[in-house]
Amino acid sequence: SRSLCTVVCKWTYTSDRGWDDSFWRRIGLEDLVKDKYEKIGNHVLSPGEAVGKGLTPEAAKDLGLPEGIAVAASLIDAHAGGLGVIGADVKGHNLPCENQPITSRVAMICGTSSCHMGVSEAPIFVPGVWGPYFSAMVPGLWLNEGGQSATGKLIDHVVRGHVAFPELEAKAAASAHSIYTYLNSHLDLIKKSLPVGFLTVDLHVWPDFHGNRSPLTDLTLKGMVRNSLCSPDPVAALCAHLAPFLPPFLKLGTRHILEAMEAAGHDISTLFLCGGLSKNPLFVQMHADITGKPVVLSREVESVLVGAAILGACASGDFASIQEAMAKMGKIGRVVQPNHEHKRFYDKKYEVFLKLVEHQREYRSIMNSL
Protein backbone atom coordinates (compact mmCIF):
# COMPACT_ATOMS: atom_id res chain seq x y z
CA SER A 1 0.00 0.00 0.00
CA ARG A 2 1.08 3.57 -0.68
CA SER A 3 0.13 6.78 1.11
CA LEU A 4 -1.74 9.31 -1.00
CA CYS A 5 0.29 12.04 0.70
CA THR A 6 3.63 10.70 -0.49
CA VAL A 7 2.67 9.75 -4.02
CA VAL A 8 0.82 13.03 -4.65
CA CYS A 9 3.42 15.37 -3.14
CA LYS A 10 6.55 13.59 -4.36
CA TRP A 11 5.61 11.16 -7.15
CA THR A 12 3.29 13.08 -9.56
CA TYR A 13 0.27 10.93 -8.65
CA THR A 14 -3.23 12.48 -8.67
CA SER A 15 -6.21 11.13 -6.76
CA ASP A 16 -8.52 11.37 -9.77
CA ARG A 17 -6.22 10.15 -12.58
CA GLY A 18 -3.63 8.03 -10.79
CA TRP A 19 -0.12 7.62 -12.23
CA ASP A 20 0.96 9.70 -15.22
CA ASP A 21 2.39 7.16 -17.68
CA SER A 22 3.63 9.87 -20.05
CA PHE A 23 5.82 11.33 -17.28
CA TRP A 24 7.57 8.04 -16.57
CA ARG A 25 8.19 7.49 -20.27
CA ARG A 26 9.50 11.02 -20.75
CA ILE A 27 12.16 10.62 -18.03
CA GLY A 28 13.20 7.13 -19.17
CA LEU A 29 11.52 5.14 -16.40
CA GLU A 30 8.80 3.51 -18.47
CA ASP A 31 9.62 0.17 -16.82
CA LEU A 32 7.75 1.46 -13.73
CA VAL A 33 4.52 1.35 -15.72
CA LYS A 34 4.83 -2.38 -16.48
CA ASP A 35 2.67 -5.01 -14.79
CA LYS A 36 0.22 -2.43 -13.44
CA TYR A 37 2.93 -0.46 -11.61
CA GLU A 38 4.09 -3.49 -9.65
CA LYS A 39 7.41 -1.82 -8.78
CA ILE A 40 5.92 1.35 -7.30
CA GLY A 41 2.50 0.11 -6.19
CA ASN A 42 -1.01 0.85 -7.34
CA HIS A 43 -2.92 0.45 -4.08
CA VAL A 44 -3.10 4.02 -2.72
CA LEU A 45 -4.73 4.85 0.63
CA SER A 46 -5.67 8.16 2.21
CA PRO A 47 -3.69 9.11 5.34
CA GLY A 48 -5.23 7.46 8.39
CA GLU A 49 -6.83 4.59 6.48
CA ALA A 50 -6.17 1.15 7.93
CA VAL A 51 -3.52 -0.84 6.04
CA GLY A 52 -4.19 -4.54 5.51
CA LYS A 53 -5.21 -6.52 8.58
CA GLY A 54 -2.95 -4.64 10.94
CA LEU A 55 0.50 -5.56 12.22
CA THR A 56 1.77 -8.79 10.66
CA PRO A 57 3.07 -11.62 12.87
CA GLU A 58 6.65 -10.95 11.73
CA ALA A 59 6.48 -7.22 12.43
CA ALA A 60 4.69 -7.79 15.73
CA LYS A 61 7.46 -10.12 16.87
CA ASP A 62 10.20 -7.66 15.87
CA LEU A 63 8.48 -4.75 17.64
CA GLY A 64 7.33 -6.66 20.71
CA LEU A 65 3.70 -5.73 20.04
CA PRO A 66 0.49 -7.76 19.68
CA GLU A 67 -0.33 -9.01 16.22
CA GLY A 68 -3.11 -7.18 14.38
CA ILE A 69 -2.70 -3.73 15.93
CA ALA A 70 -4.06 -1.19 13.43
CA VAL A 71 -1.52 0.27 11.01
CA ALA A 72 -2.37 3.60 9.38
CA ALA A 73 -1.43 4.92 5.98
CA SER A 74 1.20 7.51 6.79
CA LEU A 75 2.10 11.14 6.14
CA ILE A 76 5.37 12.82 5.23
CA ASP A 77 7.01 14.12 8.44
CA ALA A 78 6.24 17.83 7.96
CA HIS A 79 2.69 17.01 6.89
CA ALA A 80 2.21 14.99 10.08
CA GLY A 81 3.34 18.06 12.04
CA GLY A 82 0.80 20.16 10.19
CA LEU A 83 -1.93 17.66 10.99
CA GLY A 84 -0.88 17.73 14.66
CA VAL A 85 -1.43 21.48 15.06
CA ILE A 86 -3.66 22.96 12.36
CA GLY A 87 -6.98 21.53 13.54
CA ALA A 88 -6.76 22.29 17.27
CA ASP A 89 -9.82 23.66 19.05
CA VAL A 90 -9.12 27.38 19.63
CA LYS A 91 -12.28 28.34 21.54
CA GLY A 92 -11.65 30.78 24.37
CA HIS A 93 -8.26 32.01 23.17
CA ASN A 94 -9.50 35.18 21.45
CA LEU A 95 -7.93 34.25 18.12
CA PRO A 96 -9.05 35.58 14.73
CA CYS A 97 -9.39 32.02 13.42
CA GLU A 98 -12.04 31.13 16.04
CA ASN A 99 -15.33 30.18 14.36
CA GLN A 100 -13.48 30.23 11.03
CA PRO A 101 -12.57 27.20 8.88
CA ILE A 102 -9.03 25.84 9.18
CA THR A 103 -8.34 27.37 5.78
CA SER A 104 -7.62 30.59 7.72
CA ARG A 105 -4.63 28.90 9.38
CA VAL A 106 -1.09 28.08 8.29
CA ALA A 107 0.95 25.40 10.02
CA MET A 108 4.69 26.03 10.16
CA ILE A 109 7.01 23.12 10.85
CA CYS A 110 10.30 24.74 11.88
CA GLY A 111 13.48 22.73 12.19
CA THR A 112 16.58 22.14 10.08
CA SER A 113 14.44 23.49 7.24
CA SER A 114 10.94 24.97 7.41
CA CYS A 115 7.61 24.15 5.75
CA HIS A 116 4.55 26.40 5.51
CA MET A 117 1.38 24.34 5.13
CA GLY A 118 -1.88 26.02 4.12
CA VAL A 119 -5.13 24.34 3.07
CA SER A 120 -8.02 25.53 0.89
CA GLU A 121 -11.42 24.28 -0.22
CA ALA A 122 -10.66 24.91 -3.89
CA PRO A 123 -7.28 24.50 -5.62
CA ILE A 124 -5.11 27.63 -5.39
CA PHE A 125 -2.04 27.89 -7.58
CA VAL A 126 0.63 29.98 -5.82
CA PRO A 127 3.75 30.90 -7.84
CA GLY A 128 6.79 29.44 -6.10
CA VAL A 129 4.76 27.37 -3.63
CA TRP A 130 4.24 23.62 -4.13
CA GLY A 131 0.79 22.27 -4.83
CA PRO A 132 -2.11 22.40 -4.78
CA TYR A 133 -2.36 18.74 -3.70
CA PHE A 134 -5.80 17.28 -3.04
CA SER A 135 -6.26 15.46 0.31
CA ALA A 136 -2.50 15.25 0.80
CA MET A 137 -2.70 16.39 4.44
CA VAL A 138 -6.31 17.09 5.48
CA PRO A 139 -8.86 14.90 3.64
CA GLY A 140 -11.11 16.86 1.29
CA LEU A 141 -8.92 19.99 1.29
CA TRP A 142 -6.21 21.17 -1.09
CA LEU A 143 -2.71 21.66 0.30
CA ASN A 144 -0.14 24.32 -0.60
CA GLU A 145 3.36 23.86 0.78
CA GLY A 146 5.87 26.68 0.98
CA GLY A 147 9.34 26.12 2.30
CA GLN A 148 12.77 27.41 3.23
CA SER A 149 15.61 25.04 2.46
CA ALA A 150 17.73 25.75 5.53
CA THR A 151 16.61 27.52 8.70
CA GLY A 152 17.79 25.98 11.96
CA LYS A 153 20.81 24.54 10.18
CA LEU A 154 21.77 27.95 8.82
CA ILE A 155 21.55 29.58 12.27
CA ASP A 156 23.79 26.84 13.61
CA HIS A 157 26.23 27.34 10.72
CA VAL A 158 26.43 31.12 11.29
CA VAL A 159 26.82 30.86 15.06
CA ARG A 160 29.50 28.16 14.94
CA GLY A 161 31.40 29.95 12.19
CA HIS A 162 31.59 33.25 14.07
CA VAL A 163 34.96 34.35 15.48
CA ALA A 164 33.43 34.62 18.96
CA PHE A 165 32.06 31.06 19.00
CA PRO A 166 34.85 29.53 21.16
CA GLU A 167 34.30 32.28 23.76
CA LEU A 168 30.55 31.80 23.59
CA GLU A 169 30.91 28.04 23.97
CA ALA A 170 33.12 28.47 27.05
CA LYS A 171 30.74 30.96 28.69
CA ALA A 172 27.72 28.77 27.96
CA ALA A 173 29.49 25.73 29.47
CA ALA A 174 30.46 27.72 32.56
CA SER A 175 26.83 28.71 33.07
CA ALA A 176 25.65 25.11 32.49
CA HIS A 177 23.43 26.27 29.61
CA SER A 178 23.25 25.44 25.93
CA ILE A 179 24.76 28.04 23.61
CA TYR A 180 21.31 29.16 22.45
CA THR A 181 19.95 29.50 26.00
CA TYR A 182 23.01 31.57 26.85
CA LEU A 183 22.57 33.73 23.74
CA ASN A 184 18.93 34.32 24.55
CA SER A 185 19.80 35.35 28.12
CA HIS A 186 22.42 37.75 26.71
CA LEU A 187 19.80 39.18 24.40
CA ASP A 188 17.36 39.53 27.31
CA LEU A 189 19.86 41.88 28.97
CA ILE A 190 20.09 43.93 25.77
CA LYS A 191 16.28 44.05 25.52
CA LYS A 192 16.15 46.13 28.69
CA SER A 193 17.56 49.07 26.75
CA LEU A 194 16.09 48.48 23.27
CA PRO A 195 14.08 45.87 21.35
CA VAL A 196 16.24 43.00 20.15
CA GLY A 197 15.23 43.52 16.55
CA PHE A 198 16.79 46.99 16.64
CA LEU A 199 20.21 45.38 16.94
CA THR A 200 19.83 44.75 13.23
CA VAL A 201 19.14 48.31 12.16
CA ASP A 202 22.45 48.39 10.25
CA LEU A 203 22.62 44.70 9.41
CA HIS A 204 20.61 43.26 6.53
CA VAL A 205 20.59 39.63 5.40
CA TRP A 206 19.29 37.75 2.39
CA PRO A 207 19.48 34.23 3.84
CA ASP A 208 19.21 31.87 0.86
CA PHE A 209 22.64 30.30 1.26
CA HIS A 210 21.32 27.24 -0.60
CA GLY A 211 19.04 28.98 -3.07
CA ASN A 212 15.41 29.98 -2.65
CA ARG A 213 12.65 27.37 -2.55
CA SER A 214 9.64 29.66 -1.95
CA PRO A 215 8.33 31.90 -3.29
CA LEU A 216 11.06 32.65 -5.89
CA THR A 217 12.11 29.06 -6.74
CA ASP A 218 15.59 30.24 -7.69
CA LEU A 219 18.27 27.75 -6.74
CA THR A 220 21.02 30.10 -7.93
CA LEU A 221 20.40 32.74 -5.25
CA LYS A 222 23.12 33.19 -2.63
CA GLY A 223 23.22 34.53 0.89
CA MET A 224 23.94 38.26 1.22
CA VAL A 225 25.01 40.28 4.26
CA ARG A 226 25.17 44.05 4.34
CA ASN A 227 26.69 45.18 7.64
CA SER A 228 28.01 48.46 9.03
CA LEU A 229 27.86 47.21 12.59
CA CYS A 230 30.96 47.13 14.82
CA SER A 231 31.09 46.05 18.46
CA PRO A 232 34.03 45.84 20.90
CA ASP A 233 32.33 42.90 22.64
CA PRO A 234 32.66 39.83 20.37
CA VAL A 235 29.88 37.89 22.14
CA ALA A 236 27.60 40.93 21.88
CA ALA A 237 28.54 41.07 18.20
CA LEU A 238 27.62 37.41 17.85
CA CYS A 239 24.27 38.15 19.50
CA ALA A 240 23.79 40.95 17.03
CA HIS A 241 24.54 38.52 14.20
CA LEU A 242 22.25 35.83 15.57
CA ALA A 243 19.29 38.14 16.19
CA PRO A 244 19.03 39.24 12.57
CA PHE A 245 19.10 35.68 11.32
CA LEU A 246 15.95 34.98 13.28
CA PRO A 247 13.86 37.78 11.72
CA PRO A 248 15.14 38.00 8.14
CA PHE A 249 15.52 34.33 7.44
CA LEU A 250 13.02 32.70 9.72
CA LYS A 251 10.42 35.41 9.51
CA LEU A 252 11.01 37.94 6.78
CA GLY A 253 11.32 34.93 4.50
CA THR A 254 8.11 33.54 5.98
CA ARG A 255 6.38 36.88 5.44
CA HIS A 256 7.49 36.71 1.80
CA ILE A 257 5.89 33.26 1.44
CA LEU A 258 2.68 34.23 3.25
CA GLU A 259 2.26 37.33 1.08
CA ALA A 260 2.57 35.17 -2.05
CA MET A 261 -0.06 32.77 -0.70
CA GLU A 262 -2.42 35.60 0.22
CA ALA A 263 -1.96 37.31 -3.14
CA ALA A 264 -3.00 34.05 -4.84
CA GLY A 265 -6.17 33.68 -2.78
CA HIS A 266 -5.40 32.29 0.68
CA ASP A 267 -6.93 34.17 3.62
CA ILE A 268 -4.52 33.65 6.52
CA SER A 269 -5.15 35.03 10.01
CA THR A 270 -3.21 32.78 12.40
CA LEU A 271 0.08 30.86 12.44
CA PHE A 272 0.44 27.48 14.16
CA LEU A 273 4.10 26.66 14.89
CA CYS A 274 5.78 23.40 15.80
CA GLY A 275 9.23 21.84 15.49
CA GLY A 276 12.51 22.39 17.31
CA LEU A 277 12.83 26.11 16.57
CA SER A 278 9.37 26.80 18.00
CA LYS A 279 10.87 26.07 21.43
CA ASN A 280 12.89 29.30 21.14
CA PRO A 281 10.78 32.18 22.57
CA LEU A 282 12.68 34.83 20.59
CA PHE A 283 12.05 32.96 17.35
CA VAL A 284 8.33 32.72 18.12
CA GLN A 285 7.87 36.35 19.19
CA MET A 286 9.64 37.67 16.11
CA HIS A 287 7.42 35.56 13.88
CA ALA A 288 4.40 37.23 15.46
CA ASP A 289 5.91 40.73 15.30
CA ILE A 290 7.10 40.56 11.68
CA THR A 291 3.91 39.02 10.23
CA GLY A 292 1.54 40.88 12.52
CA LYS A 293 -0.32 37.59 13.12
CA PRO A 294 -0.80 35.69 16.40
CA VAL A 295 1.24 32.52 16.79
CA VAL A 296 -0.23 29.40 18.38
CA LEU A 297 2.01 26.81 20.01
CA SER A 298 0.67 23.36 20.79
CA ARG A 299 0.64 21.87 24.27
CA GLU A 300 2.58 18.86 22.97
CA VAL A 301 5.76 20.21 21.42
CA GLU A 302 6.39 17.09 19.32
CA SER A 303 3.51 17.80 16.95
CA VAL A 304 4.79 15.41 14.27
CA LEU A 305 4.16 12.60 16.75
CA VAL A 306 0.69 14.00 17.47
CA GLY A 307 -0.04 13.87 13.74
CA ALA A 308 1.11 10.25 13.61
CA ALA A 309 -1.08 9.46 16.64
CA ILE A 310 -4.07 11.07 14.89
CA LEU A 311 -3.55 8.73 11.93
CA GLY A 312 -3.34 5.72 14.23
CA ALA A 313 -6.46 6.77 16.13
CA CYS A 314 -8.38 6.95 12.87
CA ALA A 315 -7.07 3.61 11.59
CA SER A 316 -8.08 1.92 14.86
CA GLY A 317 -11.60 3.37 14.69
CA ASP A 318 -11.35 5.63 17.74
CA PHE A 319 -12.40 8.59 15.59
CA ALA A 320 -14.64 8.67 12.55
CA SER A 321 -12.54 11.23 10.66
CA ILE A 322 -9.20 13.01 10.58
CA GLN A 323 -10.99 16.31 11.28
CA GLU A 324 -12.59 14.95 14.45
CA ALA A 325 -9.29 13.51 15.65
CA MET A 326 -7.44 16.79 14.97
CA ALA A 327 -9.91 18.79 17.03
CA LYS A 328 -9.84 16.35 19.96
CA MET A 329 -6.12 15.49 20.03
CA GLY A 330 -4.52 18.80 19.08
CA LYS A 331 -4.33 21.04 22.17
CA ILE A 332 -3.22 24.67 22.43
CA GLY A 333 -0.38 25.30 24.84
CA ARG A 334 0.37 29.01 24.41
CA VAL A 335 -0.63 31.96 22.24
CA VAL A 336 1.90 34.68 21.35
CA GLN A 337 0.43 37.98 20.19
CA PRO A 338 2.34 40.38 17.91
CA ASN A 339 3.83 43.55 19.36
CA HIS A 340 2.46 46.16 16.97
CA GLU A 341 4.73 48.89 18.38
CA HIS A 342 7.57 47.56 16.21
CA LYS A 343 5.53 47.24 13.01
CA ARG A 344 7.08 50.24 11.24
CA PHE A 345 10.61 49.04 11.99
CA TYR A 346 9.96 45.54 10.62
CA ASP A 347 8.15 46.94 7.59
CA LYS A 348 11.33 48.87 6.77
CA LYS A 349 13.47 45.76 7.36
CA TYR A 350 11.23 43.86 4.94
CA GLU A 351 11.59 46.62 2.35
CA VAL A 352 15.38 46.27 2.53
CA PHE A 353 15.05 42.48 2.53
CA LEU A 354 13.34 42.58 -0.86
CA LYS A 355 15.90 45.09 -2.16
CA LEU A 356 18.71 42.64 -1.41
CA VAL A 357 17.45 40.02 -3.85
CA GLU A 358 16.64 42.71 -6.40
CA HIS A 359 20.22 43.96 -6.18
CA GLN A 360 21.68 40.46 -6.32
CA ARG A 361 19.90 39.85 -9.59
CA GLU A 362 21.07 43.21 -10.92
CA TYR A 363 24.69 42.37 -10.07
CA ARG A 364 24.35 39.00 -11.79
CA SER A 365 22.85 40.63 -14.87
CA ILE A 366 25.75 43.09 -15.05
CA MET A 367 28.38 40.35 -14.84
CA ASN A 368 26.51 38.12 -17.29
CA SER A 369 26.71 40.89 -19.86
CA LEU A 370 30.48 40.47 -20.19
Side-chain angles (χ1 to χ4, degrees), residues 4-5 7-10 12-13 15 79 117-120 123-124 129-138 140-145 213:
L4 181 69
C5 173
V7 295
V8 165
C9 294
K10 308 298 182 185
T12 74
Y13 186 93
S15 56
H79 301 59
M117 322 290 279
V119 292
S120 59
I124 298 176
V129 172
W130 294 352
Y133 305 125
F134 185 65
S135 289
M137 186 172 78
V138 180
L141 295 177
W142 295 83
L143 171 70
N144 281 114
E145 180 188 345
R213 172 178 159 186

Side-chain angles (χ1 to χ4, degrees), residues 81-98 102 104-110 115 117 251 258 268-275 277-281 283-289 291-303 326-327 329-338:
L83 200 69
V85 296
I86 202 169
D89 184 354
V90 300
K91 288 185 177 67
H93 291 273
N94 194 31
L95 287 165
C97 63
E98 186 173 348
I102 63 171
S104 64
R105 311 175 183 188
V106 159
M108 280 191 60
I109 298 80
C110 315
C115 289
M117 322 290 279
K251 200 44 202 166
L258 295 182
I268 301 163
S269 68
T270 312
L271 305 181
F272 288 69
L273 265 62
C274 66
L277 286 175
S278 68
K279 300 173 186 177
N280 186 313
F283 171 88
V284 174
Q285 185 63 59
M286 285 191 168
H287 268 66
D289 292 350
T291 62
K293 302 180 190 296
V295 172
V296 177
L297 300 174
S298 66
R299 186 183 303 173
E300 171 52 65
V301 294
E302 302 298 345
S303 296
M326 287 193 300
M329 297 176 68
K331 303 294 183 182
I332 290 181
R334 188 162 65 95
V335 174
V336 177
Q337 295 290 347

Side-chain angles (χ1 to χ4, degrees), residues 42 72 85 96 100 116 147 156 183 193 216 238 253 308 314 317:
N42 59 12
V85 296
Q100 297 295 320
H116 308 70
D156 197 50
L183 278 171
S193 58
L216 302 179
L238 178 49
C314 288

